[in-house]
Amino acid sequence: MLRLFAEMPIWGVFVVTLLLVIASVEVGYSWAARRKQHRRREDEAPVGAMVGATLGLLAFLLTFTFGIAADAFHARKVALLEEANAIRMTYLLSDVIPEAQRGEIRTVLRQYVDERLRWTSGQPDGPGTSARALLDRLWRLAAAVGAQNPGGVDVFLGYVGRVIELQQERVMVRERSRIPDAYWLVLYFVALLALSSVGYHCGVAGKSRSPVMLAVAIAFSAVIMVIADLDRPGRGYINVSQEPMEDLRATVAAKP
């Protein structure tokens, strides 16, 4: 089920959540109606208090879940900016290394910027142009420069190491920092219970099905859709702008 949810398009998350919410409200309303038919009347006030408690818990879970997704989105923005800055400084500091290695290192850096943009857009890498291959090549070249100039290019080598570190950091915040599956299960379980209790409360109060419940269902489904979108970088409608990396590509292309 969770795998199906992960592969579902963002609009599908909205539709499925909306249907589940409407169904849960209807189940609660129908249950209350059946109990009334068997003359099992309940006091509306205690039911309303319990409904308020479950809705409060649901609001807390929604806030916490949205916070996780929003923090991850911000972390992706920061990691992108830091990586672009590290690549830019490495490219500029290559001025201090011997000319014999400078051109090859800059070529690798330009290819690496292109790879970063391909990676974020989900495009496949060509032979020898994966992040690992390019970074291995960059480090071999930088290490050779450092061996030929002991102590003379330490700052340059430090930025090369920073570029390698930030590649793993971006992979972590983009592909491995997701909302846990168990958390999604608990969120949906509590949501369906809370909204079923809302329907039950309406039935106990003897009220007809209100169109307002549809608005509640749509609003809740929209929030879930936004959370799922933030939790799926590169696959939905809310994505980190790649403008810093695109600007960097233009800069390094203008300075061979």
PDB file of all heavy atoms in Angstrom, residues 173-200:
ATOM      1  N   VAL A 173      19.619  14.904   1.683  1.00  0.00           N
ATOM      2  CA  VAL A 173      18.435  15.735   1.919  1.00  0.00           C
ATOM      3  C   VAL A 173      17.405  15.598   0.800  1.00  0.00           C
ATOM      4  O   VAL A 173      16.231  15.894   1.002  1.00  0.00           O
ATOM      5  CB  VAL A 173      18.824  17.221   2.094  1.00  0.00           C
ATOM      6  CG1 VAL A 173      19.728  17.399   3.297  1.00  0.00           C
ATOM      7  CG2 VAL A 173      19.480  17.793   0.847  1.00  0.00           C
ATOM      8  N   ARG A 174      17.821  15.131  -0.367  1.00  0.00           N
ATOM      9  CA  ARG A 174      16.885  15.016  -1.482  1.00  0.00           C
ATOM     10  C   ARG A 174      16.252  13.631  -1.575  1.00  0.00           C
ATOM     11  O   ARG A 174      15.061  13.498  -1.851  1.00  0.00           O
ATOM     12  CB  ARG A 174      17.592  15.350  -2.795  1.00  0.00           C
ATOM     13  CG  ARG A 174      16.674  15.294  -4.027  1.00  0.00           C
ATOM     14  CD  ARG A 174      17.439  15.653  -5.275  1.00  0.00           C
ATOM     15  NE  ARG A 174      16.631  15.449  -6.472  1.00  0.00           N
ATOM     16  CZ  ARG A 174      15.817  16.357  -6.996  1.00  0.00           C
ATOM     17  NH1 ARG A 174      15.706  17.540  -6.421  1.00  0.00           N
ATOM     18  NH2 ARG A 174      15.115  16.104  -8.088  1.00  0.00           N
ATOM     19  N   GLU A 175      17.032  12.588  -1.343  1.00  0.00           N
ATOM     20  CA  GLU A 175      16.545  11.237  -1.613  1.00  0.00           C
ATOM     21  C   GLU A 175      16.367  10.383  -0.363  1.00  0.00           C
ATOM     22  O   GLU A 175      15.671   9.374  -0.420  1.00  0.00           O
ATOM     23  CB  GLU A 175      17.511  10.529  -2.572  1.00  0.00           C
ATOM     24  CG  GLU A 175      17.614  11.222  -3.927  1.00  0.00           C
ATOM     25  CD  GLU A 175      18.538  10.499  -4.885  1.00  0.00           C
ATOM     26  OE1 GLU A 175      19.157   9.494  -4.461  1.00  0.00           O
ATOM     27  OE2 GLU A 175      18.652  10.923  -6.040  1.00  0.00           O
ATOM     28  N   ARG A 176      16.974  10.775   0.748  1.00  0.00           N
ATOM     29  CA  ARG A 176      16.931   9.898   1.928  1.00  0.00           C
ATOM     30  C   ARG A 176      16.346  10.573   3.152  1.00  0.00           C
ATOM     31  O   ARG A 176      16.399  10.008   4.245  1.00  0.00           O
ATOM     32  CB  ARG A 176      18.355   9.408   2.245  1.00  0.00           C
ATOM     33  CG  ARG A 176      18.965   8.616   1.106  1.00  0.00           C
ATOM     34  CD  ARG A 176      20.427   8.334   1.313  1.00  0.00           C
ATOM     35  NE  ARG A 176      21.038   7.747   0.130  1.00  0.00           N
ATOM     36  CZ  ARG A 176      22.341   7.624  -0.068  1.00  0.00           C
ATOM     37  NH1 ARG A 176      23.181   8.045   0.872  1.00  0.00           N
ATOM     38  NH2 ARG A 176      22.816   7.096  -1.168  1.00  0.00           N
ATOM     39  N   SER A 177      15.826  11.774   2.999  1.00  0.00           N
ATOM     40  CA  SER A 177      15.217  12.476   4.132  1.00  0.00           C
ATOM     41  C   SER A 177      13.727  12.635   3.870  1.00  0.00           C
ATOM     42  O   SER A 177      13.236  13.741   3.649  1.00  0.00           O
ATOM     43  CB  SER A 177      15.898  13.843   4.347  1.00  0.00           C
ATOM     44  OG  SER A 177      17.257  13.686   4.642  1.00  0.00           O
ATOM     45  N   ARG A 178      13.019  11.534   3.873  1.00  0.00           N
ATOM     46  CA  ARG A 178      11.594  11.534   3.588  1.00  0.00           C
ATOM     47  C   ARG A 178      10.803  11.268   4.875  1.00  0.00           C
ATOM     48  O   ARG A 178      11.335  10.767   5.863  1.00  0.00           O
ATOM     49  CB  ARG A 178      11.255  10.443   2.558  1.00  0.00           C
ATOM     50  CG  ARG A 178      12.042  10.563   1.246  1.00  0.00           C
ATOM     51  CD  ARG A 178      11.603  11.763   0.439  1.00  0.00           C
ATOM     52  NE  ARG A 178      12.302  11.878  -0.821  1.00  0.00           N
ATOM     53  CZ  ARG A 178      11.968  11.219  -1.932  1.00  0.00           C
ATOM     54  NH1 ARG A 178      10.940  10.391  -1.924  1.00  0.00           N
ATOM     55  NH2 ARG A 178      12.656  11.394  -3.045  1.00  0.00           N
ATOM     56  N   ILE A 179       9.536  11.598   4.828  1.00  0.00           N
ATOM     57  CA  ILE A 179       8.654  11.278   5.956  1.00  0.00           C
ATOM     58  C   ILE A 179       8.537   9.758   6.042  1.00  0.00           C
ATOM     59  O   ILE A 179       8.222   9.104   5.047  1.00  0.00           O
ATOM     60  CB  ILE A 179       7.275  11.923   5.750  1.00  0.00           C
ATOM     61  CG1 ILE A 179       7.402  13.455   5.722  1.00  0.00           C
ATOM     62  CG2 ILE A 179       6.309  11.495   6.853  1.00  0.00           C
ATOM     63  CD1 ILE A 179       6.122  14.177   5.367  1.00  0.00           C
ATOM     64  N   PRO A 180       8.788   9.160   7.205  1.00  0.00           N
ATOM     65  CA  PRO A 180       8.753   7.693   7.311  1.00  0.00           C
ATOM     66  C   PRO A 180       7.379   7.120   6.963  1.00  0.00           C
ATOM     67  O   PRO A 180       6.342   7.751   7.195  1.00  0.00           O
ATOM     68  CB  PRO A 180       9.103   7.444   8.786  1.00  0.00           C
ATOM     69  CG  PRO A 180       9.797   8.685   9.238  1.00  0.00           C
ATOM     70  CD  PRO A 180       9.186   9.809   8.464  1.00  0.00           C
ATOM     71  N   ASP A 181       7.378   5.913   6.405  1.00  0.00           N
ATOM     72  CA  ASP A 181       6.127   5.253   6.033  1.00  0.00           C
ATOM     73  C   ASP A 181       5.212   5.058   7.237  1.00  0.00           C
ATOM     74  O   ASP A 181       3.995   5.239   7.145  1.00  0.00           O
ATOM     75  CB  ASP A 181       6.426   3.889   5.399  1.00  0.00           C
ATOM     76  CG  ASP A 181       7.097   4.020   4.038  1.00  0.00           C
ATOM     77  OD1 ASP A 181       7.032   5.125   3.457  1.00  0.00           O
ATOM     78  OD2 ASP A 181       7.683   3.035   3.566  1.00  0.00           O
ATOM     79  N   ALA A 182       5.813   4.689   8.368  1.00  0.00           N
ATOM     80  CA  ALA A 182       5.002   4.478   9.568  1.00  0.00           C
ATOM     81  C   ALA A 182       4.283   5.756   9.979  1.00  0.00           C
ATOM     82  O   ALA A 182       3.150   5.728  10.467  1.00  0.00           O
ATOM     83  CB  ALA A 182       5.881   3.978  10.713  1.00  0.00           C
ATOM     84  N   TYR A 183       4.929   6.887   9.751  1.00  0.00           N
ATOM     85  CA  TYR A 183       4.299   8.166  10.110  1.00  0.00           C
ATOM     86  C   TYR A 183       3.103   8.441   9.217  1.00  0.00           C
ATOM     87  O   TYR A 183       2.062   8.932   9.682  1.00  0.00           O
ATOM     88  CB  TYR A 183       5.330   9.289  10.001  1.00  0.00           C
ATOM     89  CG  TYR A 183       4.960  10.501  10.806  1.00  0.00           C
ATOM     90  CD1 TYR A 183       5.448  10.670  12.092  1.00  0.00           C
ATOM     91  CD2 TYR A 183       4.084  11.450  10.302  1.00  0.00           C
ATOM     92  CE1 TYR A 183       5.092  11.774  12.842  1.00  0.00           C
ATOM     93  CE2 TYR A 183       3.724  12.555  11.046  1.00  0.00           C
ATOM     94  CZ  TYR A 183       4.223  12.711  12.309  1.00  0.00           C
ATOM     95  OH  TYR A 183       3.849  13.799  13.051  1.00  0.00           O
ATOM     96  N   TRP A 184       3.244   8.147   7.904  1.00  0.00           N
ATOM     97  CA  TRP A 184       2.103   8.309   7.001  1.00  0.00           C
ATOM     98  C   TRP A 184       0.923   7.430   7.449  1.00  0.00           C
ATOM     99  O   TRP A 184      -0.238   7.864   7.428  1.00  0.00           O
ATOM    100  CB  TRP A 184       2.501   7.943   5.581  1.00  0.00           C
ATOM    101  CG  TRP A 184       3.222   9.007   4.820  1.00  0.00           C
ATOM    102  CD1 TRP A 184       4.518   8.977   4.388  1.00  0.00           C
ATOM    103  CD2 TRP A 184       2.695  10.275   4.385  1.00  0.00           C
ATOM    104  NE1 TRP A 184       4.829  10.135   3.723  1.00  0.00           N
ATOM    105  CE2 TRP A 184       3.733  10.952   3.701  1.00  0.00           C
ATOM    106  CE3 TRP A 184       1.452  10.890   4.515  1.00  0.00           C
ATOM    107  CZ2 TRP A 184       3.566  12.212   3.145  1.00  0.00           C
ATOM    108  CZ3 TRP A 184       1.278  12.156   3.958  1.00  0.00           C
ATOM    109  CH2 TRP A 184       2.325  12.803   3.284  1.00  0.00           C
ATOM    110  N   LEU A 185       1.233   6.195   7.856  1.00  0.00           N
ATOM    111  CA  LEU A 185       0.172   5.292   8.300  1.00  0.00           C
ATOM    112  C   LEU A 185      -0.558   5.849   9.519  1.00  0.00           C
ATOM    113  O   LEU A 185      -1.792   5.843   9.582  1.00  0.00           O
ATOM    114  CB  LEU A 185       0.760   3.911   8.627  1.00  0.00           C
ATOM    115  CG  LEU A 185       1.040   2.979   7.450  1.00  0.00           C
ATOM    116  CD1 LEU A 185       1.746   1.728   7.929  1.00  0.00           C
ATOM    117  CD2 LEU A 185      -0.252   2.628   6.725  1.00  0.00           C
ATOM    118  N   VAL A 186       0.202   6.320  10.484  1.00  0.00           N
ATOM    119  CA  VAL A 186      -0.411   6.869  11.695  1.00  0.00           C
ATOM    120  C   VAL A 186      -1.233   8.114  11.359  1.00  0.00           C
ATOM    121  O   VAL A 186      -2.348   8.296  11.870  1.00  0.00           O
ATOM    122  CB  VAL A 186       0.669   7.197  12.746  1.00  0.00           C
ATOM    123  CG1 VAL A 186       0.068   7.962  13.913  1.00  0.00           C
ATOM    124  CG2 VAL A 186       1.333   5.924  13.242  1.00  0.00           C
ATOM    125  N   LEU A 187      -0.703   8.972  10.500  1.00  0.00           N
ATOM    126  CA  LEU A 187      -1.417  10.186  10.127  1.00  0.00           C
ATOM    127  C   LEU A 187      -2.756   9.867   9.475  1.00  0.00           C
ATOM    128  O   LEU A 187      -3.795  10.433   9.836  1.00  0.00           O
ATOM    129  CB  LEU A 187      -0.561  11.028   9.175  1.00  0.00           C
ATOM    130  CG  LEU A 187      -1.223  12.292   8.620  1.00  0.00           C
ATOM    131  CD1 LEU A 187      -1.593  13.260   9.737  1.00  0.00           C
ATOM    132  CD2 LEU A 187      -0.303  12.972   7.607  1.00  0.00           C
ATOM    133  N   TYR A 188      -2.756   8.953   8.531  1.00  0.00           N
ATOM    134  CA  TYR A 188      -4.009   8.593   7.856  1.00  0.00           C
ATOM    135  C   TYR A 188      -4.960   7.879   8.812  1.00  0.00           C
ATOM    136  O   TYR A 188      -6.183   8.096   8.765  1.00  0.00           O
ATOM    137  CB  TYR A 188      -3.727   7.714   6.636  1.00  0.00           C
ATOM    138  CG  TYR A 188      -3.582   8.509   5.366  1.00  0.00           C
ATOM    139  CD1 TYR A 188      -2.360   9.046   4.992  1.00  0.00           C
ATOM    140  CD2 TYR A 188      -4.666   8.748   4.532  1.00  0.00           C
ATOM    141  CE1 TYR A 188      -2.220   9.788   3.830  1.00  0.00           C
ATOM    142  CE2 TYR A 188      -4.542   9.488   3.368  1.00  0.00           C
ATOM    143  CZ  TYR A 188      -3.311  10.004   3.027  1.00  0.00           C
ATOM    144  OH  TYR A 188      -3.189  10.745   1.871  1.00  0.00           O
ATOM    145  N   PHE A 189      -4.415   7.045   9.680  1.00  0.00           N
ATOM    146  CA  PHE A 189      -5.268   6.322  10.632  1.00  0.00           C
ATOM    147  C   PHE A 189      -5.979   7.299  11.563  1.00  0.00           C
ATOM    148  O   PHE A 189      -7.202   7.232  11.757  1.00  0.00           O
ATOM    149  CB  PHE A 189      -4.415   5.338  11.435  1.00  0.00           C
ATOM    150  CG  PHE A 189      -5.183   4.559  12.459  1.00  0.00           C
ATOM    151  CD1 PHE A 189      -6.062   3.553  12.082  1.00  0.00           C
ATOM    152  CD2 PHE A 189      -5.023   4.826  13.813  1.00  0.00           C
ATOM    153  CE1 PHE A 189      -6.778   2.838  13.033  1.00  0.00           C
ATOM    154  CE2 PHE A 189      -5.737   4.117  14.764  1.00  0.00           C
ATOM    155  CZ  PHE A 189      -6.610   3.114  14.373  1.00  0.00           C
ATOM    156  N   VAL A 190      -5.220   8.243  12.121  1.00  0.00           N
ATOM    157  CA  VAL A 190      -5.816   9.234  13.016  1.00  0.00           C
ATOM    158  C   VAL A 190      -6.798  10.124  12.249  1.00  0.00           C
ATOM    159  O   VAL A 190      -7.866  10.482  12.759  1.00  0.00           O
ATOM    160  CB  VAL A 190      -4.723  10.073  13.696  1.00  0.00           C
ATOM    161  CG1 VAL A 190      -5.326  11.227  14.484  1.00  0.00           C
ATOM    162  CG2 VAL A 190      -3.880   9.206  14.619  1.00  0.00           C
ATOM    163  N   ALA A 191      -6.438  10.497  11.017  1.00  0.00           N
ATOM    164  CA  ALA A 191      -7.314  11.357  10.223  1.00  0.00           C
ATOM    165  C   ALA A 191      -8.650  10.685   9.947  1.00  0.00           C
ATOM    166  O   ALA A 191      -9.715  11.306  10.098  1.00  0.00           O
ATOM    167  CB  ALA A 191      -6.627  11.725   8.911  1.00  0.00           C
ATOM    168  N   LEU A 192      -8.611   9.428   9.553  1.00  0.00           N
ATOM    169  CA  LEU A 192      -9.861   8.733   9.243  1.00  0.00           C
ATOM    170  C   LEU A 192     -10.703   8.530  10.501  1.00  0.00           C
ATOM    171  O   LEU A 192     -11.943   8.642  10.459  1.00  0.00           O
ATOM    172  CB  LEU A 192      -9.560   7.392   8.568  1.00  0.00           C
ATOM    173  CG  LEU A 192      -8.871   7.507   7.196  1.00  0.00           C
ATOM    174  CD1 LEU A 192      -8.631   6.130   6.607  1.00  0.00           C
ATOM    175  CD2 LEU A 192      -9.695   8.363   6.242  1.00  0.00           C
ATOM    176  N   LEU A 193     -10.056   8.245  11.622  1.00  0.00           N
ATOM    177  CA  LEU A 193     -10.800   8.126  12.880  1.00  0.00           C
ATOM    178  C   LEU A 193     -11.431   9.456  13.273  1.00  0.00           C
ATOM    179  O   LEU A 193     -12.613   9.519  13.658  1.00  0.00           O
ATOM    180  CB  LEU A 193      -9.877   7.647  13.994  1.00  0.00           C
ATOM    181  CG  LEU A 193      -9.540   6.164  14.059  1.00  0.00           C
ATOM    182  CD1 LEU A 193      -8.624   5.885  15.235  1.00  0.00           C
ATOM    183  CD2 LEU A 193     -10.806   5.315  14.174  1.00  0.00           C
ATOM    184  N   ALA A 194     -10.654  10.535  13.170  1.00  0.00           N
ATOM    185  CA  ALA A 194     -11.160  11.850  13.571  1.00  0.00           C
ATOM    186  C   ALA A 194     -12.320  12.287  12.691  1.00  0.00           C
ATOM    187  O   ALA A 194     -13.345  12.789  13.175  1.00  0.00           O
ATOM    188  CB  ALA A 194     -10.034  12.877  13.513  1.00  0.00           C
ATOM    189  N   LEU A 195     -12.205  12.090  11.395  1.00  0.00           N
ATOM    190  CA  LEU A 195     -13.265  12.525  10.484  1.00  0.00           C
ATOM    191  C   LEU A 195     -14.473  11.615  10.561  1.00  0.00           C
ATOM    192  O   LEU A 195     -15.609  12.056  10.360  1.00  0.00           O
ATOM    193  CB  LEU A 195     -12.704  12.606   9.068  1.00  0.00           C
ATOM    194  CG  LEU A 195     -11.635  13.704   8.925  1.00  0.00           C
ATOM    195  CD1 LEU A 195     -10.849  13.554   7.639  1.00  0.00           C
ATOM    196  CD2 LEU A 195     -12.268  15.086   8.989  1.00  0.00           C
ATOM    197  N   SER A 196     -14.253  10.342  10.869  1.00  0.00           N
ATOM    198  CA  SER A 196     -15.401   9.462  11.127  1.00  0.00           C
ATOM    199  C   SER A 196     -16.155   9.931  12.365  1.00  0.00           C
ATOM    200  O   SER A 196     -17.395   9.906  12.403  1.00  0.00           O
ATOM    201  CB  SER A 196     -14.929   8.019  11.321  1.00  0.00           C
ATOM    202  OG  SER A 196     -14.367   7.514  10.151  1.00  0.00           O
ATOM    203  N   SER A 197     -15.411  10.369  13.371  1.00  0.00           N
ATOM    204  CA  SER A 197     -16.068  10.847  14.587  1.00  0.00           C
ATOM    205  C   SER A 197     -16.840  12.139  14.322  1.00  0.00           C
ATOM    206  O   SER A 197     -17.873  12.387  14.960  1.00  0.00           O
ATOM    207  CB  SER A 197     -15.027  11.061  15.691  1.00  0.00           C
ATOM    208  OG  SER A 197     -14.158  12.125  15.375  1.00  0.00           O
ATOM    209  N   VAL A 198     -16.360  12.958  13.380  1.00  0.00           N
ATOM    210  CA  VAL A 198     -17.105  14.166  12.999  1.00  0.00           C
ATOM    211  C   VAL A 198     -18.445  13.776  12.384  1.00  0.00           C
ATOM    212  O   VAL A 198     -19.500  14.335  12.723  1.00  0.00           O
ATOM    213  CB  VAL A 198     -16.287  15.028  12.020  1.00  0.00           C
ATOM    214  CG1 VAL A 198     -17.141  16.155  11.441  1.00  0.00           C
ATOM    215  CG2 VAL A 198     -15.072  15.614  12.714  1.00  0.00           C
ATOM    216  N   GLY A 199     -18.416  12.807  11.467  1.00  0.00           N
ATOM    217  CA  GLY A 199     -19.669  12.320  10.881  1.00  0.00           C
ATOM    218  C   GLY A 199     -20.588  11.714  11.921  1.00  0.00           C
ATOM    219  O   GLY A 199     -21.809  11.916  11.887  1.00  0.00           O
ATOM    220  N   TYR A 200     -19.994  10.977  12.862  1.00  0.00           N
ATOM    221  CA  TYR A 200     -20.799  10.373  13.925  1.00  0.00           C
ATOM    222  C   TYR A 200     -21.457  11.451  14.782  1.00  0.00           C
ATOM    223  O   TYR A 200     -22.631  11.344  15.150  1.00  0.00           O
ATOM    224  CB  TYR A 200     -19.904   9.479  14.779  1.00  0.00           C
ATOM    225  CG  TYR A 200     -20.639   8.715  15.846  1.00  0.00           C
ATOM    226  CD1 TYR A 200     -21.263   7.513  15.556  1.00  0.00           C
ATOM    227  CD2 TYR A 200     -20.711   9.196  17.158  1.00  0.00           C
ATOM    228  CE1 TYR A 200     -21.940   6.800  16.532  1.00  0.00           C
ATOM    229  CE2 TYR A 200     -21.380   8.505  18.141  1.00  0.00           C
ATOM    230  CZ  TYR A 200     -21.996   7.315  17.823  1.00  0.00           C
ATOM    231  OH  TYR A 200     -22.673   6.618  18.790  1.00  0.00           O
TER     232      TYR A 200
END
